[in-house]
Amino acid sequence: MIRDPELLDQLIDTISRFVRERLIPNEARLADEDAVPTELLVEMKEIGLFGLSIPEEFGGLGLTMEEEALVAMELGKTSPAFRSVFGTNNGIGAQGILIDGTPEQKARYVPRLATGELLSAFCLTEPDSGSDAASLRTTAVRDGDHYVLNGTKRFITNGPEADVFTVMARTDPSNKGAGGITAFIVEGDTPGLKRGPADKKMGQKGAHTCDIIFEDCRVPAANIIGGREGQGFKTAMKVLDRGRLHISAVCVGVAERLVEESLNYAIERKQFGVPLAEHQLVQAMLADSKTEAYAGRSMVLDAARRKDTGENVSTLASCCKLFCAEMVGRVADRAVQVHGGAGYIAEYAVERFYRDVRLFRIYEGTTQIQQLVIARNMVREVS
């Protein structure tokens, strides 16, 4: 489904060079300052990273799923926080509006998301609910031509900086399931929208999250995605396949970077008079990591190609997310082990990646949620 192999090669080469020459040298700075340097944000916008998956008619690059996966693998070879800043614009921040939004909503928001003029965030998770739609407590009550939102959202990526939020709120109190939930577009300067302090996290410094609090926040009824109540959770589910494949591809890229770091260290470092790479137990760890990274790459590209042909890949996307998120954790653990004591020291990239990759098993649906999705789909297909 690659539409123009030559152009794709040029794009991947450009991004690979950007990662190698601009992002990797600034990884320590990103972690120390807990922020993506402003000049790098400008370069990201110029390259088009904020509009990778947004159609060309709205100013994006309009990549197919396979093309996006290949690009995401290159982006995965540096600190995940760099990708996080523009990831939502390509995912639920724009895709929900593109799939179910009104023409007016698409025209107002999507072009500015594609250029990075607007930074987006997605508000679903709450203090007492994540994947469980029935526990969602944020409410939206109709008041004339507005809705009044009240509630708190938690762990919201880009929350401290976002200009526009996609917010899931319950518009039908009598419907405790997904059908009672509506998706709203809420602009960041709307009165009643408050941002909590930035969370202090285990890893992924520079990728900011915080609570988003709604206190009598008045949102125009015209800002319901698609203009209809009760479709919000369904909208979110429609973009999950792409999001899960994207994250899986990032996991593959991180794993490949860790394999490279481990191999280079094992070749350079000597023990008992010979390089670590000549010790069979170290070779076994290198071989296992290489094999798992290759398996992840193969899975993601196969599922991405199937999605591009129009096949329903819900099960396969969850398989990819489950395997790749767990796989990169194992690869990171081996990378620290290959480095020995040095792997526990912040001077080496593997120490930071070891903490960073732990999040992949949690967001975009935890490993356990992926297991449920896969198993339920299997049973449903047979039944």
Side-chain angles (χ1 to χ4, degrees):
M1 287 296 293
I2 299 299
R3 295 166 298 173
D4 190 328
E6 185 175 346
L7 281 177
L8 179 63
D9 287 344
Q10 291 175 6
L11 174 64
I12 291 176
D13 181 66
T14 297
I15 291 176
S16 178
R17 189 165 61 250
F18 179 63
V19 168
R20 187 172 61 251
E21 297 176 1
R22 299 293 292 135
L23 299 187
I24 290 177
N26 280 286
E27 287 175 346
R29 178 185 172 192
L30 170 75
D32 290 342
E33 298 178 2
D34 191 20
V36 177
T38 302
E39 66 272 19
L40 293 181
L41 273 175
V42 172
E43 293 177 46
M44 289 175 181
K45 294 175 183 179
E46 292 174 347
I47 294 174
L49 296 183
F50 282 83
L52 290 172
S53 61
I54 294 174
E56 295 173 80
E57 63 185 284
F58 293 105
L61 298 182
L63 299 186
T64 66
M65 189 68 251
E66 182 180 358
E67 291 168 341
E68 183 181 335
L70 290 167
V71 168
M73 289 175 187
E74 293 303 315
L75 293 168
K77 293 176 182 177
T78 186
S79 294
F82 283 124
R83 183 215 62 88
S84 182
V85 71
F86 56 81
T88 306
N89 279 36
N90 287 289
I92 190 64
Q95 294 300 320
I97 301 174
L98 282 166
I99 292 172
D100 284 341
T102 65
E104 293 77 16
Q105 290 168 348
K106 295 176 185 179
R108 177 175 174 82
Y109 295 106
V110 178
R112 292 190 290 165
L113 290 170
T115 62
E117 177 188 344
L118 295 180
L119 186 64
S120 66
F122 178 62
C123 298
L124 172 62
T125 301
E126 298 183 357
D128 295 317
S129 72
S131 303
D132 180 11
S135 297
L136 191 145
R137 295 183 179 179
T138 296
T139 60
V141 178
R142 185 77 184 241
D143 181 22
D145 59 357
H146 284 73
Y147 282 78
V148 181
L149 272 62
N150 282 283
T152 298
K153 300 295 184 177
R154 180 144 292 175
F155 309 135
I156 305 306
T157 300
N158 291 337
E161 302 91 4
D163 304 292
V164 60
F165 297 81
T166 296
V167 182
M168 299 293 162
R170 190 170 300 283
T171 48
D172 183 358
S174 66
N175 186 338
K176 300 301 183 183
I181 297 172
T182 300
F184 292 86
I185 302 170
V186 184
E187 297 185 4
D189 59 357
T190 305
L193 186 155
K194 300 180 180 180
R195 306 168 199 248
D199 299 318
K200 295 181 180 180
K201 308 190 303 297
M202 176 191 297
Q204 298 214 18
K205 301 295 184 182
H208 302 147
T209 65
C210 71
D211 283 3
I212 301 296
I213 303 109
F214 301 95
E215 295 181 352
D216 295 330
C217 181
R218 293 179 63 82
V219 179
N223 282 27
I224 290 179
I225 292 182
R228 293 173 55 203
E229 288 190 6
Q231 302 299 306
F233 208 77
K234 295 176 184 177
T235 296
M237 296 302 103
K238 290 177 183 177
V239 302
L240 280 183
D241 290 348
R242 191 176 196 109
R244 286 170 177 169
L245 289 174
H246 178 95
I247 291 296
S248 299
V250 173
C251 290
V252 171
V254 174
E256 292 177 343
R257 165 75 184 278
L258 288 167
V259 169
E260 180 182 348
E261 293 281 343
S262 300
L263 179 60
N264 289 338
Y265 185 84
I267 291 172
E268 295 167 4
R269 179 81 163 87
K270 290 188 176 182
Q271 276 281 38
F272 303 105
V274 297
L276 280 175
E278 294 187 20
H279 293 279
Q280 288 184 331
L281 293 178
V282 173
Q283 290 176 350
M285 289 189 285
L286 293 172
D288 285 349
S289 292
K290 175 69 174 180
T291 300
E292 289 203 286
Y294 173 61
R297 173 176 280 265
S298 300
M299 286 178 68
V300 172
L301 291 179
D302 174 68
R305 288 169 186 147
R306 290 170 181 257
K307 180 172 174 54
D308 284 336
T309 64
E311 184 176 334
N312 183 340
V313 296
S314 177
T315 301
L316 296 183
S318 285
C319 288
C320 289
K321 173 63 167 58
L322 188 156
F323 177 81
C324 292
E326 294 286 339
M327 173 273 291
V328 73
R330 293 190 293 268
V331 171
D333 186 75
R334 294 190 201 105
V336 171
Q337 198 70 9
V338 169
H339 280 70
Y344 205 68
I345 303 300
E347 177 184 348
Y348 291 86
V350 296
E351 181 273 340
R352 183 182 63 252
F353 276 112
Y354 182 77
R355 290 180 286 108
D356 287 348
V357 302
R358 186 60 182 83
L359 186 57
F360 289 131
R361 291 160 60 187
I362 298 173
Y363 66 11
E364 294 282 348
T366 64
T367 290
Q368 288 66 41
I369 288 295
Q370 306 310 323
Q371 290 172 323
L372 291 176
V373 169
I374 294 165
R376 287 172 180 172
N377 286 352
M378 291 170 66
V379 171
R380 187 179 299 116
E381 288 167 10
V382 173
S383 301

